[in-house]
Amino acid sequence: MKESSIIQAAHQLFIEKGYRDTSITDIVKASGSSKGNLYYHFENKEDLFLSLIKEEEKKWDNEWKTKQRQFNTAREKMLGIANFSADMDANFPLRRAIAEFYAKNHHSKDIENHIKELNYRYLLYYEDILNDGNLNDEWNVSDVKMTSFIAGALFSGLEMYTYDVTIERRKELYRHSAEIFLDGL
């Protein structure tokens, strides 16, 4: 049984049932695999789920890199990433499972380090935008790292608080929040 069939089955189960309520037995049954084969490819459920997150992050990253080319200023990029995030978060079926996964205590330092690495990558998007704004005299941010952390916390918080609103309302909230953030710069 291929690794890809395990990943596909797990992906669908995590969407349907969430992280916590999906068991290894469920994944084995849905994939038509065996526990031995699953454990050949993945150390445990955390490892399997992390591989799914990494794939989703690559898609997000590639789509954002393409999308950001349409913006001319750092301000436009910040508003653009807010809109892009609102869209992607609303249409991201693993969102609930990821929230459960992030909230869980992980026994593996490797898993914790991978989660930190994924979060850090998002902060780099904001750092790049803030640095561009500094270079183009759009604003003067003295502590880019701290300010990018605040931007990351702002949008992560919006993701948590807007899970049950329409996409139009979500976009409105993200854009308005980005405008308030930018006006503060």
Side-chain angles (χ1 to χ4, degrees):
M1 190 58 51
K2 291 183 178 181
E3 179 180 359
S4 62
S5 63
I6 294 169
I7 290 172
Q8 289 172 353
H11 188 265
Q12 189 58 41
L13 286 167
F14 286 130
I15 291 169
E16 293 170 9
K17 298 174 76 173
Y19 178 79
R20 183 182 52 240
D21 292 336
T22 300
S23 69
I24 290 291
T25 302
D26 293 334
I27 297 167
V28 167
K29 185 177 177 183
S31 68
S33 186
S34 67
K35 281 189 179 183
N37 188 44
L38 186 142
Y39 286 122
Y40 174 77
H41 294 290
F42 304 99
E43 189 175 318
N44 52 35
K45 184 170 92 168
E46 287 180 337
D47 185 43
L48 171 57
F49 192 73
L50 189 60
S51 73
L52 288 172
I53 293 173
K54 286 179 181 178
E55 285 304 310
E56 294 298 323
E57 296 296 324
K58 283 181 194 174
K59 288 179 196 173
W60 197 99
D61 183 58
N62 289 334
E63 288 184 38
W64 170 245
K65 284 179 179 173
T66 300
K67 181 99 174 144
Q68 75 174 339
R69 291 183 195 128
Q70 73 186 29
F71 305 114
N72 297 316
T73 66
R75 182 178 182 84
E76 288 176 2
K77 282 183 188 175
M78 187 63 81
L79 293 169
I81 200 169
N83 191 57
F84 178 76
S85 295
D87 254 348
M88 292 297 284
D89 293 347
N91 298 304
F92 187 53
L94 279 175
R95 186 178 62 215
R96 184 180 113 219
I98 287 177
E100 290 175 19
F101 183 74
Y102 276 27
K104 179 185 179 310
N105 288 327
H106 299 281
H107 301 291
S108 164
K109 285 290 178 200
D110 286 339
I111 297 289
E112 287 182 11
N113 288 336
H114 284 297
I115 291 171
K116 287 178 185 174
E117 176 188 319
L118 291 172
N119 288 336
Y120 177 70
R121 264 195 262 153
Y122 279 110
L123 295 181
L124 292 178
Y125 298 124
Y126 303 121
E127 281 186 31
D128 288 345
I129 293 169
L130 292 169
N131 281 325
D132 283 350
N134 278 345
L135 288 172
N136 297 326
D137 292 324
E138 292 180 59
W139 49 65
N140 183 16
V141 175
S142 60
D143 191 336
V144 170
K145 288 198 180 297
M146 181 175 67
T147 308
S148 67
F149 186 85
I150 292 166
L154 170 66
F155 292 120
S156 294
L158 281 170
E159 180 182 346
M160 289 177 17
Y161 283 98
T162 60
Y163 70 92
D164 62 346
V165 300
T166 65
I167 185 64
E168 293 80 19
R169 179 70 174 145
R170 177 186 291 262
K171 285 182 177 182
E172 179 185 357
L173 289 165
Y174 272 63
R175 180 174 185 80
H176 187 66
S177 297
E179 287 172 348
I180 290 170
F181 176 81
L182 289 167
D183 289 346
L185 296 179

PDB file of all heavy atoms in Angstrom, residues 65-99:
ATOM      1  N   LYS A  65       3.128  33.433  -3.147  1.00  0.00           N
ATOM      2  CA  LYS A  65       4.255  33.964  -3.931  1.00  0.00           C
ATOM      3  C   LYS A  65       3.790  34.417  -5.315  1.00  0.00           C
ATOM      4  O   LYS A  65       4.271  35.431  -5.829  1.00  0.00           O
ATOM      5  CB  LYS A  65       5.367  32.922  -4.042  1.00  0.00           C
ATOM      6  CG  LYS A  65       6.164  32.801  -2.770  1.00  0.00           C
ATOM      7  CD  LYS A  65       7.258  31.759  -2.875  1.00  0.00           C
ATOM      8  CE  LYS A  65       8.030  31.698  -1.569  1.00  0.00           C
ATOM      9  NZ  LYS A  65       8.995  30.603  -1.537  1.00  0.00           N
ATOM     10  N   THR A  66       2.873  33.679  -5.896  1.00  0.00           N
ATOM     11  CA  THR A  66       2.319  34.072  -7.192  1.00  0.00           C
ATOM     12  C   THR A  66       1.445  35.312  -7.042  1.00  0.00           C
ATOM     13  O   THR A  66       1.565  36.265  -7.816  1.00  0.00           O
ATOM     14  CB  THR A  66       1.496  32.911  -7.792  1.00  0.00           C
ATOM     15  OG1 THR A  66       2.355  31.784  -7.966  1.00  0.00           O
ATOM     16  CG2 THR A  66       0.874  33.302  -9.118  1.00  0.00           C
ATOM     17  N   LYS A  67       0.582  35.312  -6.063  1.00  0.00           N
ATOM     18  CA  LYS A  67      -0.383  36.395  -5.842  1.00  0.00           C
ATOM     19  C   LYS A  67       0.309  37.724  -5.520  1.00  0.00           C
ATOM     20  O   LYS A  67      -0.102  38.773  -6.016  1.00  0.00           O
ATOM     21  CB  LYS A  67      -1.314  36.012  -4.700  1.00  0.00           C
ATOM     22  CG  LYS A  67      -2.369  36.999  -4.383  1.00  0.00           C
ATOM     23  CD  LYS A  67      -3.651  36.578  -5.018  1.00  0.00           C
ATOM     24  CE  LYS A  67      -4.763  37.499  -4.592  1.00  0.00           C
ATOM     25  NZ  LYS A  67      -5.693  37.712  -5.666  1.00  0.00           N
ATOM     26  N   GLN A  68       1.363  37.686  -4.716  1.00  0.00           N
ATOM     27  CA  GLN A  68       1.978  38.936  -4.255  1.00  0.00           C
ATOM     28  C   GLN A  68       2.624  39.732  -5.381  1.00  0.00           C
ATOM     29  O   GLN A  68       2.856  40.928  -5.240  1.00  0.00           O
ATOM     30  CB  GLN A  68       2.961  38.673  -3.131  1.00  0.00           C
ATOM     31  CG  GLN A  68       4.271  38.060  -3.543  1.00  0.00           C
ATOM     32  CD  GLN A  68       5.240  37.972  -2.384  1.00  0.00           C
ATOM     33  OE1 GLN A  68       5.123  38.684  -1.395  1.00  0.00           O
ATOM     34  NE2 GLN A  68       6.204  37.082  -2.503  1.00  0.00           N
ATOM     35  N   ARG A  69       2.877  39.092  -6.495  1.00  0.00           N
ATOM     36  CA  ARG A  69       3.494  39.794  -7.629  1.00  0.00           C
ATOM     37  C   ARG A  69       2.599  40.891  -8.202  1.00  0.00           C
ATOM     38  O   ARG A  69       3.079  41.800  -8.866  1.00  0.00           O
ATOM     39  CB  ARG A  69       3.850  38.802  -8.734  1.00  0.00           C
ATOM     40  CG  ARG A  69       4.956  37.873  -8.371  1.00  0.00           C
ATOM     41  CD  ARG A  69       5.317  36.961  -9.535  1.00  0.00           C
ATOM     42  NE  ARG A  69       6.126  35.864  -9.065  1.00  0.00           N
ATOM     43  CZ  ARG A  69       5.883  34.588  -9.305  1.00  0.00           C
ATOM     44  NH1 ARG A  69       4.863  34.236 -10.058  1.00  0.00           N
ATOM     45  NH2 ARG A  69       6.657  33.654  -8.830  1.00  0.00           N
ATOM     46  N   GLN A  70       1.298  40.801  -7.938  1.00  0.00           N
ATOM     47  CA  GLN A  70       0.378  41.792  -8.493  1.00  0.00           C
ATOM     48  C   GLN A  70       0.356  43.096  -7.708  1.00  0.00           C
ATOM     49  O   GLN A  70      -0.250  44.066  -8.141  1.00  0.00           O
ATOM     50  CB  GLN A  70      -1.032  41.220  -8.605  1.00  0.00           C
ATOM     51  CG  GLN A  70      -1.747  41.063  -7.289  1.00  0.00           C
ATOM     52  CD  GLN A  70      -3.090  40.347  -7.440  1.00  0.00           C
ATOM     53  OE1 GLN A  70      -3.278  39.539  -8.335  1.00  0.00           O
ATOM     54  NE2 GLN A  70      -4.010  40.659  -6.567  1.00  0.00           N
ATOM     55  N   PHE A  71       1.034  43.135  -6.567  1.00  0.00           N
ATOM     56  CA  PHE A  71       1.008  44.324  -5.725  1.00  0.00           C
ATOM     57  C   PHE A  71       2.271  45.153  -5.929  1.00  0.00           C
ATOM     58  O   PHE A  71       3.361  44.613  -6.040  1.00  0.00           O
ATOM     59  CB  PHE A  71       0.870  43.931  -4.252  1.00  0.00           C
ATOM     60  CG  PHE A  71      -0.333  43.050  -3.993  1.00  0.00           C
ATOM     61  CD1 PHE A  71      -0.163  41.743  -3.584  1.00  0.00           C
ATOM     62  CD2 PHE A  71      -1.617  43.531  -4.180  1.00  0.00           C
ATOM     63  CE1 PHE A  71      -1.256  40.926  -3.353  1.00  0.00           C
ATOM     64  CE2 PHE A  71      -2.718  42.723  -3.958  1.00  0.00           C
ATOM     65  CZ  PHE A  71      -2.541  41.413  -3.551  1.00  0.00           C
ATOM     66  N   ASN A  72       2.095  46.477  -5.948  1.00  0.00           N
ATOM     67  CA  ASN A  72       3.216  47.376  -6.220  1.00  0.00           C
ATOM     68  C   ASN A  72       3.859  47.950  -4.965  1.00  0.00           C
ATOM     69  O   ASN A  72       5.030  48.302  -4.994  1.00  0.00           O
ATOM     70  CB  ASN A  72       2.757  48.527  -7.122  1.00  0.00           C
ATOM     71  CG  ASN A  72       2.297  48.012  -8.473  1.00  0.00           C
ATOM     72  OD1 ASN A  72       2.939  47.155  -9.066  1.00  0.00           O
ATOM     73  ND2 ASN A  72       1.175  48.519  -8.943  1.00  0.00           N
ATOM     74  N   THR A  73       3.086  48.091  -3.896  1.00  0.00           N
ATOM     75  CA  THR A  73       3.619  48.707  -2.686  1.00  0.00           C
ATOM     76  C   THR A  73       3.519  47.727  -1.525  1.00  0.00           C
ATOM     77  O   THR A  73       2.770  46.734  -1.578  1.00  0.00           O
ATOM     78  CB  THR A  73       2.830  49.983  -2.316  1.00  0.00           C
ATOM     79  OG1 THR A  73       1.487  49.611  -1.952  1.00  0.00           O
ATOM     80  CG2 THR A  73       2.823  50.985  -3.460  1.00  0.00           C
ATOM     81  N   ALA A  74       4.237  48.015  -0.481  1.00  0.00           N
ATOM     82  CA  ALA A  74       4.178  47.174   0.716  1.00  0.00           C
ATOM     83  C   ALA A  74       2.789  47.244   1.345  1.00  0.00           C
ATOM     84  O   ALA A  74       2.271  46.239   1.838  1.00  0.00           O
ATOM     85  CB  ALA A  74       5.250  47.603   1.716  1.00  0.00           C
ATOM     86  N   ARG A  75       2.199  48.418   1.324  1.00  0.00           N
ATOM     87  CA  ARG A  75       0.830  48.568   1.851  1.00  0.00           C
ATOM     88  C   ARG A  75      -0.132  47.662   1.081  1.00  0.00           C
ATOM     89  O   ARG A  75      -0.952  46.964   1.667  1.00  0.00           O
ATOM     90  CB  ARG A  75       0.379  50.025   1.786  1.00  0.00           C
ATOM     91  CG  ARG A  75      -1.014  50.230   2.367  1.00  0.00           C
ATOM     92  CD  ARG A  75      -1.437  51.706   2.350  1.00  0.00           C
ATOM     93  NE  ARG A  75      -2.737  51.871   2.946  1.00  0.00           N
ATOM     94  CZ  ARG A  75      -2.972  51.986   4.249  1.00  0.00           C
ATOM     95  NH1 ARG A  75      -1.969  51.985   5.097  1.00  0.00           N
ATOM     96  NH2 ARG A  75      -4.205  52.126   4.696  1.00  0.00           N
ATOM     97  N   GLU A  76      -0.036  47.676  -0.242  1.00  0.00           N
ATOM     98  CA  GLU A  76      -0.886  46.807  -1.059  1.00  0.00           C
ATOM     99  C   GLU A  76      -0.628  45.332  -0.728  1.00  0.00           C
ATOM    100  O   GLU A  76      -1.562  44.529  -0.695  1.00  0.00           O
ATOM    101  CB  GLU A  76      -0.628  47.045  -2.548  1.00  0.00           C
ATOM    102  CG  GLU A  76      -1.166  48.346  -3.069  1.00  0.00           C
ATOM    103  CD  GLU A  76      -0.799  48.593  -4.526  1.00  0.00           C
ATOM    104  OE1 GLU A  76      -0.147  47.733  -5.167  1.00  0.00           O
ATOM    105  OE2 GLU A  76      -1.166  49.667  -5.041  1.00  0.00           O
ATOM    106  N   LYS A  77       0.635  44.989  -0.491  1.00  0.00           N
ATOM    107  CA  LYS A  77       0.956  43.596  -0.137  1.00  0.00           C
ATOM    108  C   LYS A  77       0.342  43.207   1.199  1.00  0.00           C
ATOM    109  O   LYS A  77      -0.166  42.103   1.357  1.00  0.00           O
ATOM    110  CB  LYS A  77       2.472  43.383  -0.076  1.00  0.00           C
ATOM    111  CG  LYS A  77       3.135  43.252  -1.408  1.00  0.00           C
ATOM    112  CD  LYS A  77       4.619  42.982  -1.252  1.00  0.00           C
ATOM    113  CE  LYS A  77       5.330  43.050  -2.582  1.00  0.00           C
ATOM    114  NZ  LYS A  77       6.782  42.900  -2.431  1.00  0.00           N
ATOM    115  N   MET A  78       0.393  44.119   2.171  1.00  0.00           N
ATOM    116  CA  MET A  78      -0.176  43.797   3.484  1.00  0.00           C
ATOM    117  C   MET A  78      -1.691  43.630   3.373  1.00  0.00           C
ATOM    118  O   MET A  78      -2.259  42.694   3.954  1.00  0.00           O
ATOM    119  CB  MET A  78       0.177  44.870   4.516  1.00  0.00           C
ATOM    120  CG  MET A  78      -0.234  44.500   5.932  1.00  0.00           C
ATOM    121  SD  MET A  78       0.600  43.022   6.610  1.00  0.00           S
ATOM    122  CE  MET A  78       2.170  43.737   7.121  1.00  0.00           C
ATOM    123  N   LEU A  79      -2.338  44.509   2.645  1.00  0.00           N
ATOM    124  CA  LEU A  79      -3.775  44.362   2.427  1.00  0.00           C
ATOM    125  C   LEU A  79      -4.056  43.105   1.598  1.00  0.00           C
ATOM    126  O   LEU A  79      -5.042  42.403   1.830  1.00  0.00           O
ATOM    127  CB  LEU A  79      -4.345  45.609   1.741  1.00  0.00           C
ATOM    128  CG  LEU A  79      -4.329  46.876   2.589  1.00  0.00           C
ATOM    129  CD1 LEU A  79      -4.666  48.105   1.736  1.00  0.00           C
ATOM    130  CD2 LEU A  79      -5.262  46.762   3.780  1.00  0.00           C
ATOM    131  N   GLY A  80      -3.178  42.826   0.661  1.00  0.00           N
ATOM    132  CA  GLY A  80      -3.317  41.633  -0.176  1.00  0.00           C
ATOM    133  C   GLY A  80      -3.180  40.346   0.613  1.00  0.00           C
ATOM    134  O   GLY A  80      -3.945  39.399   0.405  1.00  0.00           O
ATOM    135  N   ILE A  81      -2.206  40.301   1.524  1.00  0.00           N
ATOM    136  CA  ILE A  81      -2.031  39.077   2.314  1.00  0.00           C
ATOM    137  C   ILE A  81      -3.198  38.912   3.291  1.00  0.00           C
ATOM    138  O   ILE A  81      -3.591  37.788   3.597  1.00  0.00           O
ATOM    139  CB  ILE A  81      -0.662  39.031   3.027  1.00  0.00           C
ATOM    140  CG1 ILE A  81      -0.319  37.579   3.402  1.00  0.00           C
ATOM    141  CG2 ILE A  81      -0.615  39.925   4.256  1.00  0.00           C
ATOM    142  CD1 ILE A  81       1.109  37.364   3.869  1.00  0.00           C
ATOM    143  N   ALA A  82      -3.774  40.009   3.731  1.00  0.00           N
ATOM    144  CA  ALA A  82      -4.959  39.919   4.596  1.00  0.00           C
ATOM    145  C   ALA A  82      -6.114  39.293   3.821  1.00  0.00           C
ATOM    146  O   ALA A  82      -6.775  38.369   4.303  1.00  0.00           O
ATOM    147  CB  ALA A  82      -5.340  41.300   5.124  1.00  0.00           C
ATOM    148  N   ASN A  83      -6.348  39.782   2.626  1.00  0.00           N
ATOM    149  CA  ASN A  83      -7.424  39.253   1.789  1.00  0.00           C
ATOM    150  C   ASN A  83      -7.150  37.797   1.410  1.00  0.00           C
ATOM    151  O   ASN A  83      -8.045  36.946   1.465  1.00  0.00           O
ATOM    152  CB  ASN A  83      -7.587  40.115   0.540  1.00  0.00           C
ATOM    153  CG  ASN A  83      -8.827  39.782  -0.219  1.00  0.00           C
ATOM    154  OD1 ASN A  83      -9.931  39.840   0.319  1.00  0.00           O
ATOM    155  ND2 ASN A  83      -8.674  39.412  -1.477  1.00  0.00           N
ATOM    156  N   PHE A  84      -5.925  37.520   1.026  1.00  0.00           N
ATOM    157  CA  PHE A  84      -5.517  36.161   0.656  1.00  0.00           C
ATOM    158  C   PHE A  84      -5.705  35.215   1.840  1.00  0.00           C
ATOM    159  O   PHE A  84      -6.238  34.117   1.691  1.00  0.00           O
ATOM    160  CB  PHE A  84      -4.055  36.181   0.205  1.00  0.00           C
ATOM    161  CG  PHE A  84      -3.506  34.839  -0.164  1.00  0.00           C
ATOM    162  CD1 PHE A  84      -3.840  34.249  -1.374  1.00  0.00           C
ATOM    163  CD2 PHE A  84      -2.654  34.175   0.694  1.00  0.00           C
ATOM    164  CE1 PHE A  84      -3.326  33.004  -1.718  1.00  0.00           C
ATOM    165  CE2 PHE A  84      -2.140  32.939   0.366  1.00  0.00           C
ATOM    166  CZ  PHE A  84      -2.471  32.351  -0.851  1.00  0.00           C
ATOM    167  N   SER A  85      -5.296  35.656   3.023  1.00  0.00           N
ATOM    168  CA  SER A  85      -5.442  34.828   4.227  1.00  0.00           C
ATOM    169  C   SER A  85      -6.912  34.570   4.532  1.00  0.00           C
ATOM    170  O   SER A  85      -7.287  33.445   4.891  1.00  0.00           O
ATOM    171  CB  SER A  85      -4.778  35.498   5.430  1.00  0.00           C
ATOM    172  OG  SER A  85      -3.392  35.597   5.235  1.00  0.00           O
ATOM    173  N   ALA A  86      -7.734  35.588   4.404  1.00  0.00           N
ATOM    174  CA  ALA A  86      -9.170  35.418   4.662  1.00  0.00           C
ATOM    175  C   ALA A  86      -9.752  34.375   3.723  1.00  0.00           C
ATOM    176  O   ALA A  86     -10.515  33.503   4.146  1.00  0.00           O
ATOM    177  CB  ALA A  86      -9.897  36.746   4.501  1.00  0.00           C
ATOM    178  N   ASP A  87      -9.380  34.462   2.457  1.00  0.00           N
ATOM    179  CA  ASP A  87      -9.845  33.485   1.466  1.00  0.00           C
ATOM    180  C   ASP A  87      -9.346  32.082   1.783  1.00  0.00           C
ATOM    181  O   ASP A  87     -10.117  31.128   1.804  1.00  0.00           O
ATOM    182  CB  ASP A  87      -9.312  33.864   0.085  1.00  0.00           C
ATOM    183  CG  ASP A  87     -10.365  34.435  -0.817  1.00  0.00           C
ATOM    184  OD1 ASP A  87     -11.560  34.337  -0.490  1.00  0.00           O
ATOM    185  OD2 ASP A  87      -9.983  34.988  -1.860  1.00  0.00           O
ATOM    186  N   MET A  88      -8.053  31.978   1.987  1.00  0.00           N
ATOM    187  CA  MET A  88      -7.447  30.661   2.203  1.00  0.00           C
ATOM    188  C   MET A  88      -7.954  30.031   3.499  1.00  0.00           C
ATOM    189  O   MET A  88      -8.259  28.842   3.530  1.00  0.00           O
ATOM    190  CB  MET A  88      -5.920  30.766   2.227  1.00  0.00           C
ATOM    191  CG  MET A  88      -5.316  31.132   0.880  1.00  0.00           C
ATOM    192  SD  MET A  88      -5.594  29.912  -0.412  1.00  0.00           S
ATOM    193  CE  MET A  88      -4.411  28.659   0.078  1.00  0.00           C
ATOM    194  N   ASP A  89      -8.048  30.814   4.551  1.00  0.00           N
ATOM    195  CA  ASP A  89      -8.516  30.270   5.832  1.00  0.00           C
ATOM    196  C   ASP A  89      -9.957  29.786   5.729  1.00  0.00           C
ATOM    197  O   ASP A  89     -10.317  28.754   6.285  1.00  0.00           O
ATOM    198  CB  ASP A  89      -8.406  31.319   6.946  1.00  0.00           C
ATOM    199  CG  ASP A  89      -6.969  31.680   7.276  1.00  0.00           C
ATOM    200  OD1 ASP A  89      -6.054  30.959   6.831  1.00  0.00           O
ATOM    201  OD2 ASP A  89      -6.762  32.688   7.959  1.00  0.00           O
ATOM    202  N   ALA A  90     -10.786  30.537   5.016  1.00  0.00           N
ATOM    203  CA  ALA A  90     -12.196  30.164   4.882  1.00  0.00           C
ATOM    204  C   ALA A  90     -12.364  28.897   4.054  1.00  0.00           C
ATOM    205  O   ALA A  90     -13.287  28.127   4.275  1.00  0.00           O
ATOM    206  CB  ALA A  90     -12.975  31.302   4.243  1.00  0.00           C
ATOM    207  N   ASN A  91     -11.480  28.693   3.117  1.00  0.00           N
ATOM    208  CA  ASN A  91     -11.585  27.545   2.212  1.00  0.00           C
ATOM    209  C   ASN A  91     -10.579  26.452   2.532  1.00  0.00           C
ATOM    210  O   ASN A  91     -10.188  25.686   1.662  1.00  0.00           O
ATOM    211  CB  ASN A  91     -11.421  28.018   0.770  1.00  0.00           C
ATOM    212  CG  ASN A  91     -12.506  28.978   0.377  1.00  0.00           C
ATOM    213  OD1 ASN A  91     -13.677  28.657   0.473  1.00  0.00           O
ATOM    214  ND2 ASN A  91     -12.129  30.176  -0.022  1.00  0.00           N
ATOM    215  N   PHE A  92     -10.173  26.396   3.776  1.00  0.00           N
ATOM    216  CA  PHE A  92      -9.146  25.452   4.197  1.00  0.00           C
ATOM    217  C   PHE A  92      -9.793  24.369   5.049  1.00  0.00           C
ATOM    218  O   PHE A  92     -10.077  24.583   6.224  1.00  0.00           O
ATOM    219  CB  PHE A  92      -8.075  26.208   4.985  1.00  0.00           C
ATOM    220  CG  PHE A  92      -6.873  25.392   5.328  1.00  0.00           C
ATOM    221  CD1 PHE A  92      -6.167  24.707   4.363  1.00  0.00           C
ATOM    222  CD2 PHE A  92      -6.439  25.323   6.642  1.00  0.00           C
ATOM    223  CE1 PHE A  92      -5.049  23.966   4.696  1.00  0.00           C
ATOM    224  CE2 PHE A  92      -5.328  24.584   6.981  1.00  0.00           C
ATOM    225  CZ  PHE A  92      -4.632  23.914   5.995  1.00  0.00           C
ATOM    226  N   PRO A  93     -10.089  23.227   4.460  1.00  0.00           N
ATOM    227  CA  PRO A  93     -10.866  22.207   5.160  1.00  0.00           C
ATOM    228  C   PRO A  93     -10.189  21.604   6.394  1.00  0.00           C
ATOM    229  O   PRO A  93     -10.871  21.100   7.275  1.00  0.00           O
ATOM    230  CB  PRO A  93     -11.111  21.142   4.096  1.00  0.00           C
ATOM    231  CG  PRO A  93     -10.149  21.400   3.008  1.00  0.00           C
ATOM    232  CD  PRO A  93      -9.748  22.829   3.099  1.00  0.00           C
ATOM    233  N   LEU A  94      -8.876  21.689   6.487  1.00  0.00           N
ATOM    234  CA  LEU A  94      -8.178  21.128   7.645  1.00  0.00           C
ATOM    235  C   LEU A  94      -8.088  22.106   8.814  1.00  0.00           C
ATOM    236  O   LEU A  94      -7.493  21.794   9.833  1.00  0.00           O
ATOM    237  CB  LEU A  94      -6.755  20.696   7.262  1.00  0.00           C
ATOM    238  CG  LEU A  94      -6.607  19.358   6.578  1.00  0.00           C
ATOM    239  CD1 LEU A  94      -5.160  19.132   6.159  1.00  0.00           C
ATOM    240  CD2 LEU A  94      -7.081  18.221   7.453  1.00  0.00           C
ATOM    241  N   ARG A  95      -8.691  23.276   8.669  1.00  0.00           N
ATOM    242  CA  ARG A  95      -8.560  24.329   9.672  1.00  0.00           C
ATOM    243  C   ARG A  95      -8.906  23.856  11.083  1.00  0.00           C
ATOM    244  O   ARG A  95      -8.168  24.097  12.022  1.00  0.00           O
ATOM    245  CB  ARG A  95      -9.423  25.520   9.266  1.00  0.00           C
ATOM    246  CG  ARG A  95      -9.249  26.724  10.153  1.00  0.00           C
ATOM    247  CD  ARG A  95     -10.065  27.885   9.691  1.00  0.00           C
ATOM    248  NE  ARG A  95     -11.460  27.532   9.730  1.00  0.00           N
ATOM    249  CZ  ARG A  95     -12.358  27.959   8.862  1.00  0.00           C
ATOM    250  NH1 ARG A  95     -12.020  28.753   7.909  1.00  0.00           N
ATOM    251  NH2 ARG A  95     -13.609  27.594   8.967  1.00  0.00           N
ATOM    252  N   ARG A  96     -10.047  23.175  11.244  1.00  0.00           N
ATOM    253  CA  ARG A  96     -10.472  22.716  12.570  1.00  0.00           C
ATOM    254  C   ARG A  96      -9.460  21.713  13.142  1.00  0.00           C
ATOM    255  O   ARG A  96      -9.064  21.799  14.299  1.00  0.00           O
ATOM    256  CB  ARG A  96     -11.859  22.079  12.495  1.00  0.00           C
ATOM    257  CG  ARG A  96     -12.380  21.671  13.860  1.00  0.00           C
ATOM    258  CD  ARG A  96     -13.756  21.033  13.762  1.00  0.00           C
ATOM    259  NE  ARG A  96     -13.617  19.649  14.127  1.00  0.00           N
ATOM    260  CZ  ARG A  96     -14.239  18.639  13.568  1.00  0.00           C
ATOM    261  NH1 ARG A  96     -15.055  18.826  12.579  1.00  0.00           N
ATOM    262  NH2 ARG A  96     -14.052  17.418  13.986  1.00  0.00           N
ATOM    263  N   ALA A  97      -9.029  20.780  12.322  1.00  0.00           N
ATOM    264  CA  ALA A  97      -8.081  19.763  12.780  1.00  0.00           C
ATOM    265  C   ALA A  97      -6.738  20.392  13.155  1.00  0.00           C
ATOM    266  O   ALA A  97      -6.107  19.985  14.131  1.00  0.00           O
ATOM    267  CB  ALA A  97      -7.892  18.693  11.707  1.00  0.00           C
ATOM    268  N   ILE A  98      -6.317  21.391  12.412  1.00  0.00           N
ATOM    269  CA  ILE A  98      -5.050  22.063  12.722  1.00  0.00           C
ATOM    270  C   ILE A  98      -5.152  22.799  14.049  1.00  0.00           C
ATOM    271  O   ILE A  98      -4.223  22.762  14.857  1.00  0.00           O
ATOM    272  CB  ILE A  98      -4.624  23.000  11.573  1.00  0.00           C
ATOM    273  CG1 ILE A  98      -4.137  22.154  10.397  1.00  0.00           C
ATOM    274  CG2 ILE A  98      -3.540  23.966  12.011  1.00  0.00           C
ATOM    275  CD1 ILE A  98      -3.762  22.937   9.173  1.00  0.00           C
ATOM    276  N   ALA A  99      -6.276  23.455  14.283  1.00  0.00           N
ATOM    277  CA  ALA A  99      -6.463  24.148  15.565  1.00  0.00           C
ATOM    278  C   ALA A  99      -6.379  23.160  16.722  1.00  0.00           C
ATOM    279  O   ALA A  99      -5.739  23.430  17.742  1.00  0.00           O
ATOM    280  CB  ALA A  99      -7.793  24.881  15.580  1.00  0.00           C
TER     281      ALA A  99
END
